[in-house]
Amino acid sequence: MTEENTQRVEQVCAALASPRTGVRLTAALHAGSNPRPELVDVLVARCALELDFFVRDMLTWALIQHDRDAVVDRLLPELTSPAARARSQALHTFAKIGDRTAWAAISPELLTDADDEVARTAWRTAVGLVPDGAEGRLAEVLGTQLGRGPRDVRLSLSRAMVMLGEAAMPVLDEACDGSDEAVRTHAIATLRLIQDPDSAFDLAVEEAKRVRTLRGAPLVGADAC
């Protein structure tokens, strides 16, 4: 790397580490508008540290302006990083790149990651990159996450299941007959969304609760039979 390139990389590094969000955002924009191979490492490293959502999104944009193979090779190790933000942002960037070679690296560990944001990003990325014929296996792993977390997490999983469509149906049907109340409710609500994608998630949940209640209610006149 020439002295001039070294100075430019150092300038970008310094700007990306600025305490001012606007400076970091401008630096990421500049890096994407002037792609250089030596900036790939810098951008990926910053993804693991950046706290601001808009700057992270600009970092992803900057990365996809660079050579795809170089970016993919650099991102793959990030999927096993101990830093949750590094894992999540790498997954997000893979989704934006749309490179199906990343599919093999989206492990069950990522799909069931203890960090909700990592798991949600893994679900979105996986359903976008899943190759033909692997949808059923993906649905089985996603099915283990039914009932997980607060509303936004459950909604993310439901949306991923909706994208899988018919491949998710056997998993959801089985979950509807399970013993876990939260899992059953989530599964029924997700089936409603698959059948009617325009329906609201909260309404689907309420409907699922009513269905669950009715299933457990005694039949009218059952004692007289």
Side-chain angles (χ1 to χ4, degrees), residues 125-167:
T125 305
V127 297
L129 300 180
V130 60
D132 292 341
E135 296 91 347
R137 295 195 301 275
L138 175 58
E140 289 176 359
V141 178
L142 296 186
T144 67
Q145 303 302 290
L146 287 166
R148 170 179 173 167
R151 178 189 181 278
D152 58 342
V153 175
R154 289 182 282 114
L155 179 55
S156 290
L157 184 62
S158 290
R159 285 172 173 165
M161 290 288 204
V162 168
M163 289 181 68
L164 288 176
E166 288 297 322

Side-chain angles (χ1 to χ4, degrees), residues 91-139:
L91 286 162
H92 176 67
T93 306
F94 275 130
K96 292 294 186 181
I97 294 173
D99 192 318
R100 290 185 178 271
T101 60
W103 161 255
I106 304 177
S107 64
E109 288 75 21
L110 285 169
L111 294 168
T112 59
D113 199 286
D115 185 279
D116 283 344
E117 192 55 39
V118 174
R120 293 173 67 191
T121 310
W123 301 338
R124 291 193 300 268
T125 305
V127 297
L129 300 180
V130 60
D132 292 341
E135 296 91 347
R137 295 195 301 275
L138 175 58

Side-chain angles (χ1 to χ4, degrees), residues 16-199:
L16 288 175
S18 171
R20 296 169 57 191
T21 302
V23 173
R24 301 197 305 276
L25 191 65
T26 301
L29 174 62
H30 176 79
S33 301
N34 303 275
R36 295 172 177 272
E38 56 269 19
L39 288 178
V40 172
D41 279 344
V42 174
L43 294 168
V44 171
R46 185 62 205 177
C47 283
L49 303 172
E50 181 56 53
L51 298 178
D52 185 86
F53 169 81
F54 295 104
V55 178
R56 288 202 305 273
D57 218 36
M58 187 64 76
L59 288 168
T60 288
W61 174 84
L63 280 169
I64 63 179
Q65 308 311 309
H66 287 74
D67 178 75
R68 174 177 295 201
D69 291 340
V71 173
V72 168
D73 288 345
R74 180 60 183 82
L75 284 175
L76 285 172
E78 296 296 289
L79 295 179
T80 55
S81 168
R85 189 171 293 111
R87 300 194 301 276
S88 176
Q89 197 63 20
L91 286 162
H92 176 67
T93 306
F94 275 130
K96 292 294 186 181
I97 294 173
D99 192 318
R100 290 185 178 271
T101 60
W103 161 255
I106 304 177
S107 64
E109 288 75 21
L110 285 169
L111 294 168
T112 59
D113 199 286
D115 185 279
D116 283 344
E117 192 55 39
V118 174
R120 293 173 67 191
T121 310
W123 301 338
R124 291 193 300 268
T125 305
V127 297
L129 300 180
V130 60
D132 292 341
E135 296 91 347
R137 295 195 301 275
L138 175 58
E140 289 176 359
V141 178
L142 296 186
T144 67
Q145 303 302 290
L146 287 166
R148 170 179 173 167
R151 178 189 181 278
D152 58 342
V153 175
R154 289 182 282 114
L155 179 55
S156 290
L157 184 62
S158 290
R159 285 172 173 165
M161 290 288 204
V162 168
M163 289 181 68
L164 288 176
E166 288 297 322
M169 298 293 281
V171 173
L172 293 169
D173 286 339
E174 182 177 353
C176 287
D177 294 327
S179 59
D180 188 293
E181 182 175 321
V183 170
R184 288 200 311 272
T185 300
H186 194 181
I188 295 170
T190 304
L191 282 171
R192 292 286 187 275
L193 288 178
I194 290 177
Q195 294 161 0
D196 181 11
D198 293 329
S199 64

